[in-house]
Amino acid sequence: MTAGNIGTWQKKPGDTLAPGDVLVEIETDKAQMDFEFQEEGVLAKILKEAGEKDVPVGNPIAVLVEEGADVAPFESFTLEDAGGDKTAPKEAPKEEASASSEPPKTGSATAPPPPKEEAPAPAPAESESTGGRLETSLDRLPKLGAKAKALALEKGVPISELKGTGKNGQITVEDVEKYKPAAAAAGPVSAAAGPSYEDIPASSMRKTIANRLVQSFNQNPHYFVSATISVSKLLKLREALNAASAGKYKLSVNDFLVKASAVACRKIPAVNSSWREVDGQTVIRQHNTVDVSVAVATPVGLMTPIVKNVEGLGLESISAQIKELGKRARDGKLKPEEYQGGTFTISNMGMNPAIDRFTAVINPPQAGILAVGTTKKVAIPVETEDGTGVEWDDQIVVTGSFDHKVVDGAVGGDWVREFKKVVENPLELLL
């Protein structure tokens, strides 16, 4: 992170601060988080107002004084008095949610660079059309909860027409459900009435996702290997384990696939690798642990929280971590260390019955990602004493995307073979 956006100030000048108090909301390229104050004091002056965008790290945003100190002298204190704005510090390319567990020390060709800085947003100006003040997207979006936003998108409710009744004007699920469109004016709508679309400002997170994935596809020569895998035995084992759990856990198919991907990575370690530049020398770094990034769809974009050291975890522990990380990803409460890192990624769209198969884009500097389709029942001919019969087999289609700089085609095929082997013989996962 080299810059951030200023959200809502939770304190005003003159307020007393105690350790743990939330001072202000900060929006980064990945999430919106609360900035908690860790000392006692008094907020004397706010130097950066809510809505300020792309404030470089290290810039002063407020003046804090010791408890009991007089704040009156700071009424006329300005940003220039505090040293003025500073340019954002340059830093090595920052890794996406699926970047390698060990941060890169140099700018690798495959490691995505941080998004280019944008010019600071202009100060709010009077609108020529309405006479009101322009609002930044940061002023609007934080007032909409994740569940309310998802419901609004599902129902096609225009967010700009909602009025929040929650705390600090936040739009709630009830506000979305109670929304009723204004009655249309009588007569046909004129073409000059305005465009029939809405331009939604791209969030910092959406820009970061776009930049990283475009760079990945342009800089990493992708190739794809697909296989059809029987999961009939896996489903029976899952059913038996869940029945014996006495409610302590509930395993999903994805839990088994995450564990199977770690087993395959241990057997074919070339896939559990990344392309690096270290001290001016190009190397392929082979990782000793398998940290699996699990793709999670959230209301604001794709996140890939990491289950670390999967090769040493049991199915129950993997399941619990995926559920906990997925919930916090959707709530926007992941810590940076929980989505920055990873040596391999799995993206599962099996919950959508319409998706037979798909391909996924590699998260650099990782060298591989596995795309999983839905489960289908397939008729399999079998020979019996009475002749040829039919048995129904549960099958999935998986597609591995590999970086050809790191993983040769035959090696990618070997990885898919090992993955298929362990999934079709799931008792190996318990060893």
Side-chain angles (χ1 to χ4, degrees), residues 389-406:
V390 172
E391 289 184 356
W392 292 95
D393 186 35
D394 292 294
Q395 297 181 354
I396 60 173
V397 176
V398 300
T399 302
S401 305
F402 301 100
D403 180 357
H404 219 317
K405 298 196 311 296
V406 182

Side-chain angles (χ1 to χ4, degrees), residues 140 142-144 162-172 175:
R140 299 192 297 270
K143 296 182 181 179
L144 181 66
L162 294 173
K163 295 190 179 296
T165 60
K167 184 178 180 181
N168 296 325
Q170 179 165 330
I171 296 171
T172 65
D175 296 329

Side-chain angles (χ1 to χ4, degrees), residues 417-430:
R417 181 194 63 209
E418 293 297 334
F419 180 83
K420 175 182 173 75
K421 177 183 175 183
V422 72
V423 171
E424 292 187 338
N425 298 280
L427 289 176
E428 292 186 18
L429 297 174
L430 305 179

Side-chain angles (χ1 to χ4, degrees), residues 246-304:
K248 290 192 299 183
Y249 56 82
K250 185 176 182 181
L251 302 177
S252 69
V253 172
N254 200 50
D255 300 333
F256 286 85
L257 300 183
V258 169
K259 180 66 175 181
S261 67
V263 172
C265 283
R266 294 293 286 180
K267 291 185 177 180
I268 311 294
V271 173
N272 197 47
S273 304
S274 56
W275 184 271
R276 304 278 180 153
E277 287 187 10
V278 179
D279 298 330
Q281 180 183 7
T282 300
V283 301
I284 294 176
R285 178 174 297 170
Q286 198 168 103
H287 304 282
N288 295 326
T289 62
V290 184
D291 299 337
V292 180
S293 304
V294 181
V296 176
T298 75
V300 293
L302 183 71
M303 294 289 289
T304 50

Side-chain angles (χ1 to χ4, degrees), residues 293-364:
S293 304
V294 181
V296 176
T298 75
V300 293
L302 183 71
M303 294 289 289
T304 50
I306 306 156
V307 182
K308 298 183 178 180
N309 301 312
V310 176
E311 74 282 1
L313 298 177
L315 290 167
E316 180 181 355
S317 179
I318 291 172
S319 179
Q321 289 193 45
I322 291 177
K323 288 181 175 65
E324 171 65 17
L325 290 168
K327 180 180 184 302
R328 287 198 282 118
R330 287 184 284 271
D331 293 341
K333 295 181 179 180
L334 283 179
K335 299 175 183 178
E337 61 268 23
E338 292 174 325
Y339 60 79
Q340 292 177 354
T343 62
F344 186 82
T345 298
I346 184 167
S347 179
N348 191 343
M349 286 206 282
M351 68 294 298
N352 186 337
I355 308 302
D356 290 334
R357 68 179 72 195
F358 69 103
T359 57
V361 180
I362 297 168
N363 289 314

Side-chain angles (χ1 to χ4, degrees), residues 21 24 37 50 69 92 97 103 130 169 183 260 343 357 376 388 396 430:
D21 284 354
V24 64
F37 197 60
T130 65
T343 62
R357 68 179 72 195
K376 297 283 187 181
T388 302
I396 60 173
L430 305 179

Side-chain angles (χ1 to χ4, degrees), residues 200-228:
I200 302 174
S203 66
S204 296
M205 181 176 174
R206 175 52 55 190
K207 292 177 185 176
T208 298
I209 292 172
N211 289 335
R212 301 279 171 82
L213 295 183
V214 168
Q215 289 164 2
S216 173
F217 221 74
N218 289 339
Q219 297 177 6
N220 303 314
H222 285 56
Y223 71 91
F224 310 98
V225 180
S226 296
T228 299

